[in-house]
């Protein structure tokens, strides 16, 4: 498409998808002025899934919406390994275990009957393992165990996200409509223009990927989507979830802390509570490190059109302690400006240009030319780790 050709699609009252940028393809543009802190849009995922290791280590999340199912106090006790700890202001914990329901067949837990109903209607009829949920010979159990043996924490995606995509198609009465939704995601495994190949397509992953493909075929095969089960099609599915999957985190403790911040307290009580929360996070980090949340990933149609910048003007949040995403302005954004988020974590954003570029090339197959990267173009091509090693050598 020529650069001069303008093609836009209205998709929300606040934003629209644009195809004007030939190099980037899709981009998301504001349709009105926003101030710092404004919500640009909210979005539910087409599909989402908790990470398998996260579930294995007893992080209890709703199978459908991924909200944390533990009370803040119970979560704190588990993560600090201290069953006697209590939290002040229990009214700030909105987690209500009394609404939880289980699938009557496989006993998978949901936060409410509505989530159970939606899961059953969309994909769970296909994925329900019934009483064989812990049967090591069940094909789906084998698939999950195979994935855990291939992909260790920290996790970035899950084989169950692909399984749910397949189940959505299998159960749908309008399969073409579901396939059309997935067709909008980037799903190439390489960038020929820049000679880049996704890290999951490297030589060391070829044998595990083929094992996963064969097991997925045995477990989930469907004639309607037979192209997804070919070696090339299966790699495309991995590229789709790898390049478009958005990490999701929910935490009853975080929700409790957020609600505590809204309490009307005296300055003395506020200072006392702030100190308690600081000490709480110190205890959590000492025992559980950075693994504090129920973690998973999802596919979001609108969010996937947001391009990356190492100086993003918007950020992704999960304000409801579940998989509903809100994209929030980090600064004033005028009407007609592109919305850019960071594909990198806060920690990775602080690394050297060379380190950031390597992560983006391996995972998203592009070379970043954002203002920050361009301003640092003359920096030496060394990673942040290499820089730290050099500084240690100089100190010694």
């Amino acid at each position: 498409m020529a650069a001069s050709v303008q093609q836009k699609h209205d998709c929300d009252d606040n934003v629209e998808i644009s195809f004007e940028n030939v190099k980037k393809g899709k981009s998301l543009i504001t349709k009105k002025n926003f101030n710092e802190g404004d919500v640009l849009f909210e979005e539910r995922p087409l599909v989402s899934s908790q990470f398998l290791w996260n579930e294995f280590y007893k992080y209890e999340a709703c199978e459908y919406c991924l909200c944390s199912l533990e009370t803040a106090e119970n979560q704190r006790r588990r993560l600090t390994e201290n069953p006697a700890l209590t939290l002040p202001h229990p009214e700030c914990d909105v987690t209500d275990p009394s609404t939880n329901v289980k699938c009557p067949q496989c006993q998978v837990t949901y936060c409410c009957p509505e989530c159970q109903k939606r899961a059953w209607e969309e994909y769970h009829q296909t994925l329900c393992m019934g009483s064989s949920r812990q049967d090591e010979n069940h094909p789906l159990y084998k698939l999950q165990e195979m994935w855990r043996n291939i992909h260790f924490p920290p996790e970035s995606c899950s084989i169950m996200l692909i399984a749910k995509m397949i189940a959505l198609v299998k159960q749908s009465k309008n399969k073409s409509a579901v396939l059309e939704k997935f067709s909008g995601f980037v799903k190439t495994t390489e960038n020929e223009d820049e000679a880049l190949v996704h890290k999951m397509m490297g030589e060391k992953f070829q044998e595990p990927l083929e094992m996963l493909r064969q097991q997925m075929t045995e477990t989930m095969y469907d004639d309607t989507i037979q192209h997804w089960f070919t070696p090339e099609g299966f790699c495309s599915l991995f590229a789709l979830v790898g390049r478009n999957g958005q990490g999701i985190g929910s935490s009853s403790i975080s929700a409790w802390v957020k609600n505590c911040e809204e309490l009307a307290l005296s300055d003395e009580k506020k200072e006392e509570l702030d100190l308690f929360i600081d000490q709480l996070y110190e205890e959590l980090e000492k025992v559980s490190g950075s693994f504090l949340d129920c973690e998973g990933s999802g596919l979001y149609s609108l969010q996937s059109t947001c391009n990356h910048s190492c100086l993003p003007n918007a950020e992704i949040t999960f304000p409801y302690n579940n998989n509903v995403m809100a994209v929030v302005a980090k600064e004033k954004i005028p009407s007609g400006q592109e919305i850019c988020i960071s594909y990198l974590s806060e920690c990775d954003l602080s690394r050297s240009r060379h380190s950031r570029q390597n992560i983006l090339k391996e995972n998203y197959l592009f070379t970043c030319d954002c203002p920050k990267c361009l301003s640092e173009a003359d920096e030496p091509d060394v990673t942040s780790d290499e820089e730290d090693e050099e500084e240690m050598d100089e100190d010694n």
Side-chain angles (χ1 to χ4, degrees):
M1 182 182 297
S4 61
V5 176
Q6 296 189 0
Q7 182 181 359
K8 296 183 179 180
H9 293 261
D10 288 349
C11 51
D12 186 273
D13 291 338
N14 294 342
V15 296
E16 63 186 353
I17 299 173
S18 172
F19 294 85
E20 293 179 24
N21 192 313
V22 174
K23 182 177 179 180
K24 293 183 179 180
K26 293 179 183 178
S27 58
L28 200 61
I29 309 296
T30 56
K31 293 169 63 177
K32 62 183 185 182
N33 297 327
F34 290 96
N35 293 315
E36 180 181 353
D38 285 348
V39 175
L40 307 179
F41 64 90
E42 293 186 352
E43 184 177 18
R44 292 182 180 274
L46 294 178
V47 62
S48 63
S49 180
Q50 185 179 5
F51 292 145
L52 287 174
W53 276 109
N54 191 260
E55 179 184 5
F56 183 81
Y57 284 121
K58 309 302 182 184
Y59 290 80
E60 299 177 14
C62 173
E63 196 277 335
Y64 185 80
C65 76
L66 302 193
C67 76
S68 179
L69 298 178
E70 290 179 290
T71 64
E73 189 165 85
N74 285 344
Q75 190 174 50
R76 180 199 180 188
R77 289 174 176 176
R78 177 174 60 83
L79 292 175
T80 60
E81 298 179 351
N82 187 342
L85 291 176
T86 59
L87 286 179
H89 301 289
E91 72 276 11
C92 291
D93 184 4
V94 296
T95 310
D96 184 6
S98 69
T99 65
N100 295 354
V101 295
K102 293 181 181 291
C103 170
Q105 281 77 37
C106 68
Q107 300 301 300
V108 164
T109 309
Y110 298 90
C111 67
C112 62
E114 181 62 25
C115 278
Q116 180 193 9
K117 181 174 182 290
R118 288 180 176 179
W120 184 257
E121 292 175 349
E122 292 176 18
Y123 58 78
H124 191 62
Q125 293 176 56
T126 300
L127 296 177
C128 184
M129 297 170 64
S131 59
S132 302
R133 188 180 174 198
Q134 301 301 323
D135 182 357
E136 296 181 2
N137 294 315
H138 192 286
L140 194 55
Y141 185 98
K142 289 182 179 179
L143 182 70
Q144 295 174 356
E145 186 68 14
M146 189 179 294
W147 175 257
R148 281 194 292 265
N149 289 331
I150 292 171
H151 197 312
F152 295 97
E155 297 166 276
S156 57
C157 62
S158 172
I159 193 67
M160 290 308 296
L161 195 60
I162 293 178
K164 285 187 177 181
M165 290 171 61
I166 295 171
L168 279 170
V169 178
K170 288 170 72 75
Q171 280 190 215
S172 177
K173 296 178 180 179
N174 189 347
K175 300 181 189 300
S176 60
V178 178
L179 288 170
E180 178 64 25
K181 291 179 180 179
F182 289 130
S183 70
F185 293 99
V186 176
K187 49 185 176 292
T188 56
T189 59
E190 59 185 69
N191 181 337
E192 295 180 357
D193 292 339
E194 299 191 39
L196 299 174
V197 179
H198 196 278
K199 68 176 184 179
M200 288 296 287
M201 301 303 122
E203 186 174 337
K204 68 177 181 177
F205 288 108
Q206 292 306 304
E207 184 176 343
L209 276 175
E210 177 57 21
M211 291 170 56
L212 284 169
R213 185 188 71 83
Q214 292 178 10
Q215 186 61 46
M216 183 68 83
T217 302
E218 177 184 340
T219 308
M220 304 286 296
Y221 184 79
D222 188 278
D223 286 335
T224 308
I225 44 175
Q226 55 182 298
H227 58 287
W228 280 4
F229 297 94
T230 66
E232 182 180 26
F234 195 64
C235 284
S236 293
L237 285 181
F238 261 96
L240 190 156
V241 298
R243 296 183 67 179
N244 301 276
Q246 168 61 47
I248 301 168
S250 67
S251 167
S252 298
I253 293 176
S254 295
W256 173 83
V257 170
K258 181 180 178 182
N259 290 333
C260 283
E261 292 173 352
E262 304 299 322
L263 291 173
L265 302 174
S266 67
D267 291 344
E268 182 181 352
K269 291 292 185 181
K270 178 66 173 173
E271 184 177 348
E272 183 180 320
L273 181 58
D274 288 344
L275 179 61
F276 176 88
I277 291 172
D278 288 341
Q279 292 174 339
L280 166 62
Y281 277 111
E282 287 179 10
E283 293 171 5
L284 291 169
E285 185 175 1
K286 192 178 298 182
V287 178
S288 299
S290 59
F291 298 99
L292 304 180
D293 299 344
C294 297
E295 296 181 347
S297 62
L299 295 174
Y300 296 81
S301 296
L302 202 52
Q303 174 269 343
S304 70
T305 64
C306 292
N307 289 311
H308 166 83
S309 173
C310 297
L311 288 173
N313 58 10
E315 63 182 349
I316 290 170
T317 65
F318 292 92
Y320 307 111
N321 195 33
N322 59 18
N323 62 9
V324 177
M325 170 198 296
V327 177
V328 180
K330 290 171 63 69
E331 59 190 46
K332 284 188 175 182
I333 307 177
S335 178
Q337 184 169 316
E338 181 180 2
I339 299 167
C340 290
I341 59 176
S342 172
Y343 296 176
L344 304 175
S345 67
E346 285 295 324
C347 180
D348 287 334
L349 272 179
S350 65
R351 294 166 68 88
S352 69
R353 173 183 178 273
H354 188 61
S355 294
R356 300 196 309 271
Q357 295 278 3
N358 283 343
I359 297 171
L360 292 168
K361 288 175 182 178
E362 288 180 351
N363 292 277
Y364 302 102
L365 308 184
F366 72 90
T367 301
C368 184
D369 60 358
C370 73
K372 182 176 181 178
C373 285
L374 292 177
S375 69
E376 298 172 352
D378 294 332
E379 290 186 356
D381 285 341
V382 293
T383 65
S384 296
D385 293 336
E386 290 170 339
E387 289 173 345
D388 291 342
E389 290 175 4
E390 289 177 3
E391 291 178 3
M392 289 178 63
D393 291 340
E394 291 174 1
D395 292 339
N396 295 331

